[in-house]
Amino acid sequence: MTQDELFKVLVAHCKEYGFIFPSSEIYDGLAAVYDYGQMGVELKNNIKSYWWNAMTRLNENIVGIDSCIFMHPRIWEASGHVSAFNDPLIDNKDSKKRYRADVLIEDYLGKLEEKVNKEVEKGRRKFGESFDEAQFRATNPNVLREQAKYDQVHERYVKAEKAGDFAEYRQIIIDCNIVCPISGTCNWTDVRQFNLMFSTSMGSTSEGANIIYLRPETAQGIFVNYLNVQKTGRMKIPFGIAQIGKAFRNEIVARQFIFRMREFEQMEMQFFIKPGTELEWFAKWKEQRMKWHVNLGMGAENYRFHDHEKLAHYANAATDIEFQFPFGFKELEGIHSRTNFDLGNHQKFSGKKIQYFDNETNESYTPYVIETSIGVDRTVLAVLSHSFHEEKLENGETRVVLSIPPALAPVKAAVLPLVKKDGLPEVAQKIMNDLKYDFNCQYEDKDSIGKRYRRQDAIGTPFCITIDHETLNDNCVTVRDRDTMQQERVPIAELHDLIDKRVNLNNLLRNL
Ligand code: ATP
């Protein structure tokens, strides 16, 4: 199966098993908006707990807040979103489809990079142990040709990006013969700017309605509460404020399932520091955040940093943590050193003094900020796409399994009486009642045990507990492991500890 096909199968699986549904489906859906079903919401909540606890419990100097989606419209002027939160749009005149010009160029560059990497891998296979990658890259004619193409386009792109030169974006697209995937033509309009914020009005027109925006990021809710939290929490710099919440962007390119949505959720933490210490803290948070990801056990090789070449005018360092999605390495989280841009601007626009008084040095300053910003939905997609497998079994059958990290799995254990009689359901109910306070469990008594195992594999349940006639004599049950499919006999009294060891979120947190 190609990665493309696999992705389609995954999307269908997410719907079939209650993870993710297209929004408003009975009305034919709403583009780039998705709802989480009964399984999806559990997975999402577990991801949020992992992040929230890692931030607010493991760091004594980080606290959380929950600010509103609606905020004073001046906030978005101060933050620069009204004037600069734009995407460069381009339309194909034949298909009438709209694209982001920067994404078209970046995808093209990604393909060139892939070509180079494929050549290098070929070389590695050919030369085996004696392979010298640096020498190969410097001498292989195929690599040199593709790399030169890449470098040339990349240089033009970075220059155009820095200068905000959209005519040059269009020229790059034309010169590289980047075609519309629908029409296959290179018949493009000019590139135009498009603001991504959704607006609505607050109050009735008679009392003079105000235009307000649905927040495009949660961060500003943190900045405007900086003084409240610092004062009431008696926080000393360095300290952080964390928040999880919805954000809205009128994305033009609505593709790739929950990777790019118009309504999505972010987990953001702003870390307030003394000016001059930002690069040190930036490095610390880079390391810390990568550790958080890798700790999930989905393979360190599936993550990489992508340092920004073009920095926003207020930033002095920025990087993305990218994950290897089925459609390539793409941004999962952003880490930015934002200087005092946000607090400074809010001070200017609101007229309120936003300063920190340092008791030790007797000086006041506007704190600098390191931001870590991760998408909940992209993390859900990373987990689902990495966990989804179709396996061929020894008996020739196939099984679909979601090997979700156990601490994130929506259901931790399924309790399955072998038959619906002979007192087995009663024992199963008792086990259920014992476990349900600590673990999300599912009780299932329909269909053959084999079918029930398959259903639990498909939603990623780490343990299946089967109660059979023997249980009535020996007080033991059969526990089946999702990943190995091994079965073992376990005393009912030991069930809790066995499950807890594998699925307890605190064990993940302890490794951080
Ligand atoms: P991209 O370049 O992919 O549009 P971005 O750089 O605009 O992303 P940020 O503004 O840094 O993203 O937002 C922080 C995080 O929020 C991203 O790393 C991503 O995980 C998430 N995010 C941003 N936009 C979306 C979206 N439209 N749908 C889902 N998640 C998103």
Side-chain angles (χ1 to χ4, degrees), residues 85 100 216-217 249 251 258-266 268 308 320 331-334 336 371 373-378:
F85 194 50
R100 260 173 68 178
E217 60 174 34
R249 296 181 188 179
E251 299 278 3
I258 56 169
F259 182 82
R260 194 173 295 288
M261 299 157 91
R262 295 200 166 110
E263 173 177 343
F264 59 100
E265 220 168 341
Q266 289 185 315
E268 297 198 295
H308 288 206
D320 295 336
E331 174 179 343
L332 180 57
E333 169 157 9
H336 312 120
E371 159 179 275
S373 172
I374 168 172
V376 179
D377 313 273
R378 283 193 193 174

PDB file of all heavy atoms in Angstrom, residues 85 100 216-217 249 251 258-266 268 308 320 331-334 336 371 373-378, ligand 1:
ATOM      1  N   PHE A  85      -1.454  38.758   9.659  1.00  0.00           N
ATOM      2  CA  PHE A  85      -1.709  37.319   9.724  1.00  0.00           C
ATOM      3  C   PHE A  85      -2.332  36.862   8.401  1.00  0.00           C
ATOM      4  O   PHE A  85      -3.510  36.564   8.293  1.00  0.00           O
ATOM      5  CB  PHE A  85      -2.628  36.993  10.896  1.00  0.00           C
ATOM      6  CG  PHE A  85      -2.676  35.531  11.227  1.00  0.00           C
ATOM      7  CD1 PHE A  85      -1.508  34.794  11.404  1.00  0.00           C
ATOM      8  CD2 PHE A  85      -3.888  34.874  11.367  1.00  0.00           C
ATOM      9  CE1 PHE A  85      -1.544  33.448  11.710  1.00  0.00           C
ATOM     10  CE2 PHE A  85      -3.937  33.524  11.666  1.00  0.00           C
ATOM     11  CZ  PHE A  85      -2.766  32.820  11.838  1.00  0.00           C
ATOM     12  N   ARG A 100      -2.087  27.799  -1.447  1.00  0.00           N
ATOM     13  CA  ARG A 100      -1.142  28.714  -0.817  1.00  0.00           C
ATOM     14  C   ARG A 100       0.129  28.663  -1.639  1.00  0.00           C
ATOM     15  O   ARG A 100       0.716  27.591  -1.818  1.00  0.00           O
ATOM     16  CB  ARG A 100      -0.853  28.273   0.613  1.00  0.00           C
ATOM     17  CG  ARG A 100      -1.636  29.061   1.635  1.00  0.00           C
ATOM     18  CD  ARG A 100      -1.463  28.501   2.994  1.00  0.00           C
ATOM     19  NE  ARG A 100      -0.115  28.680   3.513  1.00  0.00           N
ATOM     20  CZ  ARG A 100       0.257  28.295   4.722  1.00  0.00           C
ATOM     21  NH1 ARG A 100      -0.631  27.725   5.530  1.00  0.00           N
ATOM     22  NH2 ARG A 100       1.483  28.463   5.146  1.00  0.00           N
ATOM     23  N   PRO A 216      -7.076  33.344  16.687  1.00  0.00           N
ATOM     24  CA  PRO A 216      -6.339  32.446  15.804  1.00  0.00           C
ATOM     25  C   PRO A 216      -5.220  31.713  16.547  1.00  0.00           C
ATOM     26  O   PRO A 216      -4.530  30.875  15.961  1.00  0.00           O
ATOM     27  CB  PRO A 216      -5.745  33.395  14.756  1.00  0.00           C
ATOM     28  CG  PRO A 216      -5.583  34.681  15.483  1.00  0.00           C
ATOM     29  CD  PRO A 216      -6.650  34.746  16.534  1.00  0.00           C
ATOM     30  N   GLU A 217      -5.016  32.041  17.818  1.00  0.00           N
ATOM     31  CA  GLU A 217      -4.043  31.342  18.662  1.00  0.00           C
ATOM     32  C   GLU A 217      -4.453  31.593  20.100  1.00  0.00           C
ATOM     33  O   GLU A 217      -5.134  32.578  20.394  1.00  0.00           O
ATOM     34  CB  GLU A 217      -2.619  31.862  18.412  1.00  0.00           C
ATOM     35  CG  GLU A 217      -2.459  33.348  18.712  1.00  0.00           C
ATOM     36  CD  GLU A 217      -1.022  33.839  18.614  1.00  0.00           C
ATOM     37  OE1 GLU A 217      -0.266  33.328  17.774  1.00  0.00           O
ATOM     38  OE2 GLU A 217      -0.663  34.746  19.393  1.00  0.00           O
ATOM     39  N   ARG A 249      -8.758  29.399  12.287  1.00  0.00           N
ATOM     40  CA  ARG A 249      -8.069  30.053  11.157  1.00  0.00           C
ATOM     41  C   ARG A 249      -8.797  29.691   9.878  1.00  0.00           C
ATOM     42  O   ARG A 249      -9.103  28.511   9.656  1.00  0.00           O
ATOM     43  CB  ARG A 249      -6.610  29.576  11.058  1.00  0.00           C
ATOM     44  CG  ARG A 249      -5.789  29.971  12.252  1.00  0.00           C
ATOM     45  CD  ARG A 249      -4.351  29.526  12.121  1.00  0.00           C
ATOM     46  NE  ARG A 249      -3.658  29.776  13.382  1.00  0.00           N
ATOM     47  CZ  ARG A 249      -2.394  29.488  13.619  1.00  0.00           C
ATOM     48  NH1 ARG A 249      -1.654  28.939  12.668  1.00  0.00           N
ATOM     49  NH2 ARG A 249      -1.853  29.740  14.792  1.00  0.00           N
ATOM     50  N   GLU A 251      -8.264  28.728   7.010  1.00  0.00           N
ATOM     51  CA  GLU A 251      -7.222  28.142   6.168  1.00  0.00           C
ATOM     52  C   GLU A 251      -7.723  27.991   4.736  1.00  0.00           C
ATOM     53  O   GLU A 251      -8.861  27.585   4.507  1.00  0.00           O
ATOM     54  CB  GLU A 251      -6.823  26.762   6.695  1.00  0.00           C
ATOM     55  CG  GLU A 251      -6.259  26.767   8.104  1.00  0.00           C
ATOM     56  CD  GLU A 251      -4.790  27.136   8.150  1.00  0.00           C
ATOM     57  OE1 GLU A 251      -4.212  27.450   7.095  1.00  0.00           O
ATOM     58  OE2 GLU A 251      -4.224  27.125   9.268  1.00  0.00           O
ATOM     59  N   ILE A 258      -7.156  16.039   9.662  1.00  0.00           N
ATOM     60  CA  ILE A 258      -7.090  16.947  10.812  1.00  0.00           C
ATOM     61  C   ILE A 258      -5.733  17.647  10.931  1.00  0.00           C
ATOM     62  O   ILE A 258      -5.465  18.303  11.928  1.00  0.00           O
ATOM     63  CB  ILE A 258      -7.430  16.227  12.140  1.00  0.00           C
ATOM     64  CG1 ILE A 258      -6.514  15.018  12.345  1.00  0.00           C
ATOM     65  CG2 ILE A 258      -8.885  15.809  12.162  1.00  0.00           C
ATOM     66  CD1 ILE A 258      -6.618  14.423  13.736  1.00  0.00           C
ATOM     67  N   PHE A 259      -4.878  17.511   9.917  1.00  0.00           N
ATOM     68  CA  PHE A 259      -3.598  18.227   9.967  1.00  0.00           C
ATOM     69  C   PHE A 259      -3.838  19.741   9.872  1.00  0.00           C
ATOM     70  O   PHE A 259      -3.193  20.522  10.549  1.00  0.00           O
ATOM     71  CB  PHE A 259      -2.679  17.772   8.826  1.00  0.00           C
ATOM     72  CG  PHE A 259      -1.343  18.447   8.856  1.00  0.00           C
ATOM     73  CD1 PHE A 259      -0.342  17.982   9.698  1.00  0.00           C
ATOM     74  CD2 PHE A 259      -1.082  19.571   8.088  1.00  0.00           C
ATOM     75  CE1 PHE A 259       0.891  18.614   9.760  1.00  0.00           C
ATOM     76  CE2 PHE A 259       0.142  20.212   8.148  1.00  0.00           C
ATOM     77  CZ  PHE A 259       1.131  19.731   8.977  1.00  0.00           C
ATOM     78  N   ARG A 260      -4.737  20.129   8.987  1.00  0.00           N
ATOM     79  CA  ARG A 260      -5.014  21.556   8.807  1.00  0.00           C
ATOM     80  C   ARG A 260      -6.511  21.782   8.888  1.00  0.00           C
ATOM     81  O   ARG A 260      -7.248  21.515   7.948  1.00  0.00           O
ATOM     82  CB  ARG A 260      -4.455  22.025   7.467  1.00  0.00           C
ATOM     83  CG  ARG A 260      -4.400  23.528   7.345  1.00  0.00           C
ATOM     84  CD  ARG A 260      -3.688  23.973   6.094  1.00  0.00           C
ATOM     85  NE  ARG A 260      -2.273  23.609   6.079  1.00  0.00           N
ATOM     86  CZ  ARG A 260      -1.341  24.186   6.839  1.00  0.00           C
ATOM     87  NH1 ARG A 260      -1.664  25.151   7.664  1.00  0.00           N
ATOM     88  NH2 ARG A 260      -0.089  23.799   6.778  1.00  0.00           N
ATOM     89  N   MET A 261      -6.958  22.290  10.017  1.00  0.00           N
ATOM     90  CA  MET A 261      -8.390  22.491  10.231  1.00  0.00           C
ATOM     91  C   MET A 261      -8.698  23.980  10.365  1.00  0.00           C
ATOM     92  O   MET A 261      -7.803  24.783  10.602  1.00  0.00           O
ATOM     93  CB  MET A 261      -8.818  21.789  11.528  1.00  0.00           C
ATOM     94  CG  MET A 261      -8.583  20.290  11.515  1.00  0.00           C
ATOM     95  SD  MET A 261      -8.468  19.683  13.195  1.00  0.00           S
ATOM     96  CE  MET A 261     -10.167  19.286  13.507  1.00  0.00           C
ATOM     97  N   ARG A 262      -9.976  24.292  10.235  1.00  0.00           N
ATOM     98  CA  ARG A 262     -10.358  25.704  10.426  1.00  0.00           C
ATOM     99  C   ARG A 262     -10.688  25.970  11.899  1.00  0.00           C
ATOM    100  O   ARG A 262     -10.605  27.093  12.351  1.00  0.00           O
ATOM    101  CB  ARG A 262     -11.526  26.053   9.503  1.00  0.00           C
ATOM    102  CG  ARG A 262     -11.112  25.964   8.035  1.00  0.00           C
ATOM    103  CD  ARG A 262     -12.027  26.725   7.102  1.00  0.00           C
ATOM    104  NE  ARG A 262     -11.410  26.871   5.805  1.00  0.00           N
ATOM    105  CZ  ARG A 262     -11.808  26.246   4.692  1.00  0.00           C
ATOM    106  NH1 ARG A 262     -12.859  25.438   4.711  1.00  0.00           N
ATOM    107  NH2 ARG A 262     -11.175  26.432   3.550  1.00  0.00           N
ATOM    108  N   GLU A 263     -11.106  24.936  12.605  1.00  0.00           N
ATOM    109  CA  GLU A 263     -11.273  25.033  14.056  1.00  0.00           C
ATOM    110  C   GLU A 263     -10.414  23.933  14.654  1.00  0.00           C
ATOM    111  O   GLU A 263     -10.577  22.767  14.297  1.00  0.00           O
ATOM    112  CB  GLU A 263     -12.749  24.805  14.433  1.00  0.00           C
ATOM    113  CG  GLU A 263     -12.961  24.718  15.918  1.00  0.00           C
ATOM    114  CD  GLU A 263     -14.428  24.569  16.327  1.00  0.00           C
ATOM    115  OE1 GLU A 263     -15.329  24.843  15.498  1.00  0.00           O
ATOM    116  OE2 GLU A 263     -14.662  24.173  17.471  1.00  0.00           O
ATOM    117  N   PHE A 264      -9.470  24.286  15.498  1.00  0.00           N
ATOM    118  CA  PHE A 264      -8.565  23.277  16.043  1.00  0.00           C
ATOM    119  C   PHE A 264      -8.190  23.644  17.473  1.00  0.00           C
ATOM    120  O   PHE A 264      -8.676  24.641  18.012  1.00  0.00           O
ATOM    121  CB  PHE A 264      -7.321  23.132  15.154  1.00  0.00           C
ATOM    122  CG  PHE A 264      -6.526  24.402  14.978  1.00  0.00           C
ATOM    123  CD1 PHE A 264      -5.375  24.628  15.708  1.00  0.00           C
ATOM    124  CD2 PHE A 264      -6.939  25.373  14.084  1.00  0.00           C
ATOM    125  CE1 PHE A 264      -4.634  25.800  15.552  1.00  0.00           C
ATOM    126  CE2 PHE A 264      -6.205  26.551  13.920  1.00  0.00           C
ATOM    127  CZ  PHE A 264      -5.056  26.757  14.656  1.00  0.00           C
ATOM    128  N   GLU A 265      -7.362  22.812  18.062  1.00  0.00           N
ATOM    129  CA  GLU A 265      -7.026  23.063  19.456  1.00  0.00           C
ATOM    130  C   GLU A 265      -5.507  23.164  19.614  1.00  0.00           C
ATOM    131  O   GLU A 265      -4.776  22.402  18.985  1.00  0.00           O
ATOM    132  CB  GLU A 265      -7.568  21.922  20.320  1.00  0.00           C
ATOM    133  CG  GLU A 265      -8.137  22.401  21.608  1.00  0.00           C
ATOM    134  CD  GLU A 265      -8.937  21.325  22.329  1.00  0.00           C
ATOM    135  OE1 GLU A 265      -9.349  20.348  21.686  1.00  0.00           O
ATOM    136  OE2 GLU A 265      -9.129  21.462  23.521  1.00  0.00           O
ATOM    137  N   GLN A 266      -5.095  24.096  20.445  1.00  0.00           N
ATOM    138  CA  GLN A 266      -3.662  24.288  20.686  1.00  0.00           C
ATOM    139  C   GLN A 266      -3.324  24.080  22.157  1.00  0.00           C
ATOM    140  O   GLN A 266      -4.176  24.282  23.024  1.00  0.00           O
ATOM    141  CB  GLN A 266      -3.260  25.723  20.331  1.00  0.00           C
ATOM    142  CG  GLN A 266      -3.256  26.019  18.851  1.00  0.00           C
ATOM    143  CD  GLN A 266      -2.741  27.415  18.565  1.00  0.00           C
ATOM    144  OE1 GLN A 266      -3.143  28.360  19.240  1.00  0.00           O
ATOM    145  NE2 GLN A 266      -1.871  27.562  17.581  1.00  0.00           N
ATOM    146  N   GLU A 268      -0.476  25.695  24.414  1.00  0.00           N
ATOM    147  CA  GLU A 268       0.600  26.684  24.341  1.00  0.00           C
ATOM    148  C   GLU A 268       1.102  27.036  25.732  1.00  0.00           C
ATOM    149  O   GLU A 268       0.338  27.093  26.696  1.00  0.00           O
ATOM    150  CB  GLU A 268       0.109  27.957  23.642  1.00  0.00           C
ATOM    151  CG  GLU A 268      -0.294  27.691  22.201  1.00  0.00           C
ATOM    152  CD  GLU A 268      -0.376  28.949  21.344  1.00  0.00           C
ATOM    153  OE1 GLU A 268      -1.241  29.790  21.641  1.00  0.00           O
ATOM    154  OE2 GLU A 268       0.404  29.082  20.398  1.00  0.00           O
ATOM    155  N   HIS A 308      14.051  27.777  11.739  1.00  0.00           N
ATOM    156  CA  HIS A 308      13.537  28.759  10.771  1.00  0.00           C
ATOM    157  C   HIS A 308      14.671  29.599  10.210  1.00  0.00           C
ATOM    158  O   HIS A 308      15.529  30.060  10.962  1.00  0.00           O
ATOM    159  CB  HIS A 308      12.546  29.720  11.435  1.00  0.00           C
ATOM    160  CG  HIS A 308      11.252  29.066  11.750  1.00  0.00           C
ATOM    161  ND1 HIS A 308      10.080  29.748  11.848  1.00  0.00           N
ATOM    162  CD2 HIS A 308      10.937  27.766  11.979  1.00  0.00           C
ATOM    163  CE1 HIS A 308       9.096  28.918  12.141  1.00  0.00           C
ATOM    164  NE2 HIS A 308       9.605  27.710  12.232  1.00  0.00           N
ATOM    165  N   ASP A 320      10.797  24.438  14.438  1.00  0.00           N
ATOM    166  CA  ASP A 320       9.618  23.572  14.470  1.00  0.00           C
ATOM    167  C   ASP A 320      10.078  22.185  14.872  1.00  0.00           C
ATOM    168  O   ASP A 320      11.175  21.771  14.498  1.00  0.00           O
ATOM    169  CB  ASP A 320       8.978  23.447  13.081  1.00  0.00           C
ATOM    170  CG  ASP A 320       8.410  24.762  12.583  1.00  0.00           C
ATOM    171  OD1 ASP A 320       8.089  25.613  13.431  1.00  0.00           O
ATOM    172  OD2 ASP A 320       8.291  24.915  11.357  1.00  0.00           O
ATOM    173  N   GLU A 331       5.277  20.109  10.285  1.00  0.00           N
ATOM    174  CA  GLU A 331       5.281  20.741  11.622  1.00  0.00           C
ATOM    175  C   GLU A 331       4.225  20.172  12.562  1.00  0.00           C
ATOM    176  O   GLU A 331       3.055  20.055  12.214  1.00  0.00           O
ATOM    177  CB  GLU A 331       5.052  22.249  11.465  1.00  0.00           C
ATOM    178  CG  GLU A 331       4.906  22.951  12.801  1.00  0.00           C
ATOM    179  CD  GLU A 331       4.706  24.456  12.689  1.00  0.00           C
ATOM    180  OE1 GLU A 331       4.985  25.028  11.632  1.00  0.00           O
ATOM    181  OE2 GLU A 331       4.262  25.041  13.693  1.00  0.00           O
ATOM    182  N   LEU A 332       4.708  19.868  13.772  1.00  0.00           N
ATOM    183  CA  LEU A 332       3.818  19.405  14.826  1.00  0.00           C
ATOM    184  C   LEU A 332       3.778  20.443  15.949  1.00  0.00           C
ATOM    185  O   LEU A 332       2.753  20.651  16.578  1.00  0.00           O
ATOM    186  CB  LEU A 332       4.388  18.069  15.359  1.00  0.00           C
ATOM    187  CG  LEU A 332       3.701  17.321  16.455  1.00  0.00           C
ATOM    188  CD1 LEU A 332       2.260  17.007  16.078  1.00  0.00           C
ATOM    189  CD2 LEU A 332       4.433  16.004  16.718  1.00  0.00           C
ATOM    190  N   GLU A 333       4.909  21.064  16.173  1.00  0.00           N
ATOM    191  CA  GLU A 333       5.016  22.039  17.261  1.00  0.00           C
ATOM    192  C   GLU A 333       5.978  23.159  16.861  1.00  0.00           C
ATOM    193  O   GLU A 333       6.944  22.907  16.136  1.00  0.00           O
ATOM    194  CB  GLU A 333       5.556  21.327  18.513  1.00  0.00           C
ATOM    195  CG  GLU A 333       5.959  22.254  19.633  1.00  0.00           C
ATOM    196  CD  GLU A 333       5.956  21.594  21.006  1.00  0.00           C
ATOM    197  OE1 GLU A 333       5.798  20.366  21.090  1.00  0.00           O
ATOM    198  OE2 GLU A 333       6.099  22.338  22.000  1.00  0.00           O
ATOM    199  N   GLY A 334       5.709  24.367  17.334  1.00  0.00           N
ATOM    200  CA  GLY A 334       6.623  25.483  17.098  1.00  0.00           C
ATOM    201  C   GLY A 334       7.211  25.963  18.415  1.00  0.00           C
ATOM    202  O   GLY A 334       6.510  26.002  19.434  1.00  0.00           O
ATOM    203  N   HIS A 336       9.370  29.252  19.832  1.00  0.00           N
ATOM    204  CA  HIS A 336       9.787  30.561  19.355  1.00  0.00           C
ATOM    205  C   HIS A 336      10.323  31.418  20.482  1.00  0.00           C
ATOM    206  O   HIS A 336       9.751  31.415  21.574  1.00  0.00           O
ATOM    207  CB  HIS A 336       8.588  31.306  18.724  1.00  0.00           C
ATOM    208  CG  HIS A 336       7.819  30.475  17.748  1.00  0.00           C
ATOM    209  ND1 HIS A 336       6.487  30.170  17.909  1.00  0.00           N
ATOM    210  CD2 HIS A 336       8.207  29.863  16.604  1.00  0.00           C
ATOM    211  CE1 HIS A 336       6.082  29.417  16.897  1.00  0.00           C
ATOM    212  NE2 HIS A 336       7.102  29.203  16.099  1.00  0.00           N
ATOM    213  N   GLU A 371       8.105  30.726  23.654  1.00  0.00           N
ATOM    214  CA  GLU A 371       6.790  30.105  23.452  1.00  0.00           C
ATOM    215  C   GLU A 371       6.951  28.671  22.947  1.00  0.00           C
ATOM    216  O   GLU A 371       7.754  28.417  22.060  1.00  0.00           O
ATOM    217  CB  GLU A 371       6.019  30.929  22.416  1.00  0.00           C
ATOM    218  CG  GLU A 371       4.883  30.175  21.741  1.00  0.00           C
ATOM    219  CD  GLU A 371       4.145  31.036  20.740  1.00  0.00           C
ATOM    220  OE1 GLU A 371       3.249  31.765  21.160  1.00  0.00           O
ATOM    221  OE2 GLU A 371       4.481  30.992  19.540  1.00  0.00           O
ATOM    222  N   SER A 373       4.373  25.870  21.277  1.00  0.00           N
ATOM    223  CA  SER A 373       3.000  25.853  20.767  1.00  0.00           C
ATOM    224  C   SER A 373       2.766  24.601  19.931  1.00  0.00           C
ATOM    225  O   SER A 373       3.372  24.426  18.879  1.00  0.00           O
ATOM    226  CB  SER A 373       2.806  27.111  19.916  1.00  0.00           C
ATOM    227  OG  SER A 373       1.578  27.053  19.252  1.00  0.00           O
ATOM    228  N   ILE A 374       1.897  23.744  20.440  1.00  0.00           N
ATOM    229  CA  ILE A 374       1.692  22.455  19.768  1.00  0.00           C
ATOM    230  C   ILE A 374       0.211  22.261  19.479  1.00  0.00           C
ATOM    231  O   ILE A 374      -0.643  22.693  20.258  1.00  0.00           O
ATOM    232  CB  ILE A 374       2.276  21.310  20.639  1.00  0.00           C
ATOM    233  CG1 ILE A 374       1.820  19.938  20.137  1.00  0.00           C
ATOM    234  CG2 ILE A 374       1.927  21.433  22.095  1.00  0.00           C
ATOM    235  CD1 ILE A 374       2.515  18.780  20.819  1.00  0.00           C
ATOM    236  N   GLY A 375      -0.102  21.652  18.346  1.00  0.00           N
ATOM    237  CA  GLY A 375      -1.486  21.388  17.984  1.00  0.00           C
ATOM    238  C   GLY A 375      -1.951  20.057  18.565  1.00  0.00           C
ATOM    239  O   GLY A 375      -1.268  19.041  18.408  1.00  0.00           O
ATOM    240  N   VAL A 376      -3.092  20.089  19.258  1.00  0.00           N
ATOM    241  CA  VAL A 376      -3.641  18.843  19.812  1.00  0.00           C
ATOM    242  C   VAL A 376      -4.001  17.893  18.669  1.00  0.00           C
ATOM    243  O   VAL A 376      -3.670  16.702  18.687  1.00  0.00           O
ATOM    244  CB  VAL A 376      -4.912  19.117  20.648  1.00  0.00           C
ATOM    245  CG1 VAL A 376      -5.491  17.818  21.203  1.00  0.00           C
ATOM    246  CG2 VAL A 376      -4.634  20.093  21.770  1.00  0.00           C
ATOM    247  N   ASP A 377      -4.668  18.448  17.653  1.00  0.00           N
ATOM    248  CA  ASP A 377      -5.175  17.596  16.571  1.00  0.00           C
ATOM    249  C   ASP A 377      -4.029  16.982  15.763  1.00  0.00           C
ATOM    250  O   ASP A 377      -4.097  15.832  15.353  1.00  0.00           O
ATOM    251  CB  ASP A 377      -6.089  18.414  15.657  1.00  0.00           C
ATOM    252  CG  ASP A 377      -7.066  19.223  16.490  1.00  0.00           C
ATOM    253  OD1 ASP A 377      -8.127  18.696  16.826  1.00  0.00           O
ATOM    254  OD2 ASP A 377      -6.735  20.372  16.847  1.00  0.00           O
ATOM    255  N   ARG A 378      -2.969  17.778  15.570  1.00  0.00           N
ATOM    256  CA  ARG A 378      -1.816  17.211  14.839  1.00  0.00           C
ATOM    257  C   ARG A 378      -1.166  16.104  15.659  1.00  0.00           C
ATOM    258  O   ARG A 378      -0.650  15.142  15.100  1.00  0.00           O
ATOM    259  CB  ARG A 378      -0.801  18.298  14.505  1.00  0.00           C
ATOM    260  CG  ARG A 378      -1.274  19.134  13.345  1.00  0.00           C
ATOM    261  CD  ARG A 378      -0.205  20.006  12.763  1.00  0.00           C
ATOM    262  NE  ARG A 378      -0.829  20.972  11.878  1.00  0.00           N
ATOM    263  CZ  ARG A 378      -0.206  21.971  11.286  1.00  0.00           C
ATOM    264  NH1 ARG A 378       1.082  22.143  11.476  1.00  0.00           N
ATOM    265  NH2 ARG A 378      -0.861  22.785  10.493  1.00  0.00           N
TER     266      ARG A 378
HETATM  267  P1  ATP B   1       1.520  25.884   9.445  1.00  0.00           P
HETATM  268  O1  ATP B   1       2.820  26.477   8.949  1.00  0.00           O
HETATM  269  O2  ATP B   1       1.432  24.406   9.312  1.00  0.00           O
HETATM  270  O3  ATP B   1       0.303  26.621   8.960  1.00  0.00           O
HETATM  271  P2  ATP B   1       1.892  27.545  11.719  1.00  0.00           P
HETATM  272  O4  ATP B   1       3.377  27.745  11.703  1.00  0.00           O
HETATM  273  O5  ATP B   1       1.004  28.613  11.214  1.00  0.00           O
HETATM  274  O6  ATP B   1       1.521  26.138  11.014  1.00  0.00           O
HETATM  275  P3  ATP B   1       1.670  28.051  14.511  1.00  0.00           P
HETATM  276  O7  ATP B   1       1.018  29.355  14.325  1.00  0.00           O
HETATM  277  O8  ATP B   1       3.100  28.010  14.964  1.00  0.00           O
HETATM  278  O9  ATP B   1       1.476  27.164  13.193  1.00  0.00           O
HETATM  279  O10 ATP B   1       0.758  27.197  15.493  1.00  0.00           O
HETATM  280  C1  ATP B   1       1.289  26.291  16.441  1.00  0.00           C
HETATM  281  C2  ATP B   1       0.766  24.893  16.234  1.00  0.00           C
HETATM  282  O11 ATP B   1      -0.639  24.872  16.081  1.00  0.00           O
HETATM  283  C3  ATP B   1       1.289  24.222  14.961  1.00  0.00           C
HETATM  284  O12 ATP B   1       2.551  23.644  15.187  1.00  0.00           O
HETATM  285  C4  ATP B   1       0.232  23.168  14.712  1.00  0.00           C
HETATM  286  O13 ATP B   1       0.469  21.990  15.459  1.00  0.00           O
HETATM  287  C5  ATP B   1      -1.043  23.822  15.212  1.00  0.00           C
HETATM  288  N1  ATP B   1      -1.822  24.350  14.097  1.00  0.00           N
HETATM  289  C6  ATP B   1      -1.650  25.527  13.455  1.00  0.00           C
HETATM  290  N2  ATP B   1      -2.570  25.691  12.492  1.00  0.00           N
HETATM  291  C7  ATP B   1      -3.346  24.580  12.512  1.00  0.00           C
HETATM  292  C8  ATP B   1      -4.488  24.148  11.761  1.00  0.00           C
HETATM  293  N3  ATP B   1      -5.012  24.905  10.811  1.00  0.00           N
HETATM  294  N4  ATP B   1      -5.031  22.938  12.050  1.00  0.00           N
HETATM  295  C9  ATP B   1      -4.514  22.168  13.023  1.00  0.00           C
HETATM  296  N5  ATP B   1      -3.452  22.531  13.768  1.00  0.00           N
HETATM  297  C10 ATP B   1      -2.872  23.713  13.531  1.00  0.00           C
END
